Amino acid sequence: MIDSAGFLMAGGQAVASERIQGVDDNMERSHYHEYYELYYLEYGNRYHMINEHIYSIQSGEFILFPPYVMHHSYGDSGVAFKRLLVYFTPDTILVPEIKSALENAPGVYRPEKKDSLIIHQLLKEILKEQENGECYSKETMQMLLNQLLIKLARQSGEPIKPEQSSRISQILHYLHLNYNDNITLNDLAARFYISPYYLCREFKRYTNSTIIHYVNNLRIIQAQRLFQETDKTITDISREVGFSNVTHFNRIFKSLLGMSPSQSRKQGRPNLLPTRYSESTHPSSPEQNQ
């Protein structure tokens, strides 16, 4: 699955949209963005892993992913789907109160049919403006987006609950809280009373990632935030997020983002993990703790 809207955002767009349909077209593993993503399912059924939780969404439902939230989507074998999404940077949200409301709102929405149709129509108009590329298209896309976000902010009700918790989701929750610790496969397996072999197999099936690769992603996300929010040295940040030495931190950072930590910091904002990337440059055994 090629993330065309992601390429537009990487090229400096503040708002980008894309529609994709397919069968058995699943993301390889979790990723994150430095901007918002609104994912609307036009038809089908999809599962979304958001951090350590899994949600099931149906046609007419949608999810809002804030920046720096790890997620990926997948579906049952042979089930066709079509989705429409829009990416947007935080500074495109014109009303501070709306931004605050969205930050605190549940990420998974199951609106009434009339509200879903309105939101769907606004998303289609955003995509149409992008495809037309006429005069003031970018400004029109931003206005339509803010109209849509006001509609989202008015959505109320109890947060949508994830699917029933599993042992692996409990392990993921633990990793999200303790990613900066010295995590080994054997210690993790012992903590949750399962064999290392079973843990590796089920973790891979559940996340399509090795444990060490998943932990490294969590560490790099936090490092990027610290680059933005603090003046700490790269060495100090590498230790704070869980790397025993800065050389290894530099290697993992560059293998994930395609640039060194110092290059990323000089850009003035963090880079983003691509939607697709290979694990071939990473340690293949989760027994390694760095």
Side-chain angles (χ1 to χ4, degrees):
M1 184 183 300
I2 303 300
D3 187 9
S4 300
F7 285 114
L8 292 175
M9 296 298 287
Q13 294 285 86
V15 182
S17 182
E18 181 183 28
R19 172 183 276 128
I20 281 183
Q21 59 184 346
V23 179
D24 297 331
D25 196 352
N26 299 324
M27 288 187 175
E28 295 179 354
R29 58 187 61 86
S30 291
H31 65 288
Y32 69 94
H33 313 287
E34 62 181 31
Y35 40 77
Y36 283 92
E37 174 184 346
L38 195 155
Y39 180 115
Y40 184 98
L41 190 63
E42 294 184 293
Y43 70 75
N45 175 59
R46 299 289 281 177
Y47 300 100
H48 288 263
M49 181 175 172
I50 307 173
N51 287 330
E52 69 269 29
H53 299 301
I54 286 185
Y55 297 85
S56 174
I57 68 169
Q58 312 292 326
S59 174
E61 300 172 351
F62 57 94
I63 301 179
L64 180 67
F65 301 105
Y68 303 108
V69 171
M70 289 187 70
H71 61 279
H72 77 274
S73 67
Y74 59 97
D76 292 324
S77 177
V79 177
F81 76 98
K82 181 165 69 172
R83 63 102 170 113
L84 180 58
L85 66 76
V86 60
Y87 294 144
F88 58 97
T89 58
D91 57 6
T92 58
I93 305 175
L94 301 179
V95 182
E97 291 79 7
I98 297 298
K99 182 183 293 187
S100 177
L102 293 177
E103 288 173 352
N104 298 318
V108 182
Y109 295 83
R110 289 177 179 163
E112 294 182 4
K113 185 174 182 180
K114 62 176 183 177
D115 293 327
S116 178
L117 291 174
I118 293 171
I119 290 168
H120 190 199
Q121 184 59 39
L122 288 168
L123 285 168
K124 289 191 291 185
E125 290 180 18
I126 290 172
L127 179 61
K128 183 178 179 181
E129 282 293 332
Q130 177 178 283
E131 292 173 342
N132 289 343
E134 298 177 350
C135 184
Y136 303 118
S137 282
K138 292 181 180 179
E139 291 79 5
T140 303
M141 289 172 69
Q142 184 172 358
M143 292 177 64
L144 290 167
L145 172 66
N146 277 271
Q147 185 179 350
L148 185 156
L149 295 179
I150 290 172
K151 192 70 179 175
L152 261 63
R154 289 174 174 170
Q155 296 293 312
S156 60
E158 291 295 320
I160 302 302
K161 295 181 179 180
E163 300 295 296
Q164 186 173 4
S165 178
S166 68
R167 183 73 61 86
I168 297 300
S169 66
Q170 294 170 11
I171 292 170
L172 286 166
H173 182 68
Y174 175 82
L175 294 178
H176 277 257
L177 293 177
N178 300 280
Y179 61 85
N180 55 346
D181 289 345
N182 183 22
I183 297 172
T184 68
L185 173 62
N186 288 335
D187 289 344
L188 198 60
R191 176 178 290 274
F192 289 93
Y193 305 102
I194 54 179
S195 73
Y197 172 78
Y198 179 83
L199 172 56
C200 288
R201 187 189 68 184
E202 290 303 296
F203 193 93
K204 180 71 173 180
R205 184 175 70 87
Y206 196 94
T207 67
N208 206 21
S209 173
T210 64
I211 295 171
I212 186 60
H213 189 80
Y214 194 90
V215 170
N216 280 338
N217 272 286
L218 294 176
R219 290 171 173 174
I220 298 305
I221 290 172
Q222 183 61 21
Q224 288 182 285
R225 287 173 170 165
L226 292 172
F227 284 161
Q228 271 198 323
E229 298 169 4
T230 75
D231 294 324
K232 294 178 180 180
T233 67
I234 291 174
T235 298
D236 287 341
I237 288 175
S238 71
R239 290 172 180 165
E240 185 171 334
V241 300
F243 289 93
S244 61
N245 65 78
V246 70
T247 301
H248 187 67
F249 171 69
N250 287 339
R251 182 173 68 83
I252 295 299
F253 193 102
K254 188 170 184 177
S255 67
L256 286 175
L257 301 179
M259 66 177 66
S260 68
S262 59
Q263 290 172 322
S264 178
R265 178 169 251 180
K266 286 178 182 178
Q267 284 190 342
R269 63 174 187 167
N271 198 11
L272 59 142
L273 290 179
T275 299
R276 286 194 158 192
Y277 47 87
S278 170
E279 287 186 304
S280 60
T281 56
H282 302 294
S284 59
S285 172
E287 293 180 348
Q288 303 178 54
N289 58 40
Q290 296 298 333

